[in-house]
Amino acid sequence: RVAARCAASGLIKTGSGNELSFSLAIAMVYKRYVQIGRVVYIAFGPHAGKLVAIVDVIDQNRALVDGPCTGVRRQAMPFKCMQLTDFRIQIPHSVRNKFVKAAWEKEKINEKWEASRWAKKIEARAKRAKMSDFDRHKVMKAKKKRRSMRNGKHLAGQKKLKHVQRGPKCLTLTATRS
């Protein structure tokens, strides 16, 4: 019974015979780690919106970063202003700028970033912020037109009211099938 409870709770029985030894089965939750070569997006600060690679970890609050293809010089940066991406380049720690640049270009980080949903979302948000009042009006009209076309197709097989007659005491509806 103990083995059944442990198996149900995530503990797995190891060994054989009368001995009972259990090991905990852990599923990895995180996929992005602070590690050397990890490409990060700078969320705020003077270099906001740019990509850099972690070259070395200084302490638990800061890392040495370098952005050879984005115009960010090598500097210490706090982890609070970084957002980890899925991309990683293969470099040893504290490597020189030209090797970081070579690894960045070999992995084609800029092309991968432009193709990611994250970058497209940021670009759409920036485009929306630059819209004028007239542009917002045109978008609203286009959405209305698209919605009416979609709803018209959706209601194609249903009855639509053709004519409404008002009598002295009742309301008469004439329906047609389209």
Side-chain angles (χ1 to χ4, degrees):
R1 288 172 35 185
V2 172
R5 280 190 209 149
C6 291
S9 67
L11 295 172
I12 300 172
K13 181 180 176 184
T14 59
S16 61
N18 293 332
E19 63 185 48
L20 287 177
S21 60
F22 295 95
S23 64
L24 185 62
I26 300 173
M28 298 304 288
V29 179
Y30 301 109
K31 294 184 173 94
R32 300 175 185 168
Y33 299 105
V34 174
Q35 54 191 335
I36 294 164
R38 175 67 62 188
V39 177
V40 296
Y41 175 79
I42 302 173
F44 60 88
H47 300 290
K50 295 183 179 178
L51 294 177
V52 294
I54 296 176
V55 178
D56 203 356
V57 177
I58 298 171
D59 59 17
Q60 66 183 8
N61 296 317
R62 297 177 302 147
L64 186 66
V65 297
D66 194 4
C69 298
T70 57
V72 180
R73 300 189 78 171
R74 184 172 290 215
Q75 59 186 299
M77 191 168 288
F79 288 123
K80 287 184 179 182
C81 68
M82 296 183 213
Q83 294 175 352
L84 302 174
T85 66
D86 290 335
F87 311 122
R88 184 170 180 233
I89 57 177
Q90 296 295 324
I91 56 171
H93 74 87
S94 300
V95 71
R96 290 176 48 195
N97 191 338
K98 70 177 187 178
F99 296 112
V100 175
K101 186 173 184 174
W104 189 285
E105 290 171 351
K106 179 184 173 195
E107 292 289 327
K108 299 180 182 173
I109 297 297
N110 289 336
E111 290 84 14
K112 288 179 183 177
W113 173 253
E114 292 299 322
S116 71
R117 286 180 39 203
W118 189 353
K120 289 177 184 175
K121 230 186 261 188
I122 291 170
E123 184 181 342
R125 191 178 302 134
K127 188 185 283 187
R128 217 175 302 125
K130 289 181 183 177
M131 290 175 69
S132 67
D133 190 36
F134 184 61
D135 292 333
R136 283 190 291 276
H137 175 73
K138 288 192 291 189
V139 168
M140 180 202 55
K141 294 300 264 184
K143 283 182 178 179
K144 268 178 116 172
K145 186 175 182 180
R146 184 179 66 192
R147 191 170 44 243
S148 69
M149 288 172 55
R150 184 181 63 218
N151 291 343
K153 290 178 185 175
H154 176 68
L155 301 173
Q158 297 181 359
K159 292 183 178 181
K160 294 182 181 178
L161 295 178
K162 182 180 179 184
H163 187 65
V164 177
Q165 293 179 344
R166 292 188 184 270
K169 291 186 178 179
C170 65
L171 184 68
T172 309
L173 300 176
T174 308
T176 61
R177 185 173 282 286
S178 56

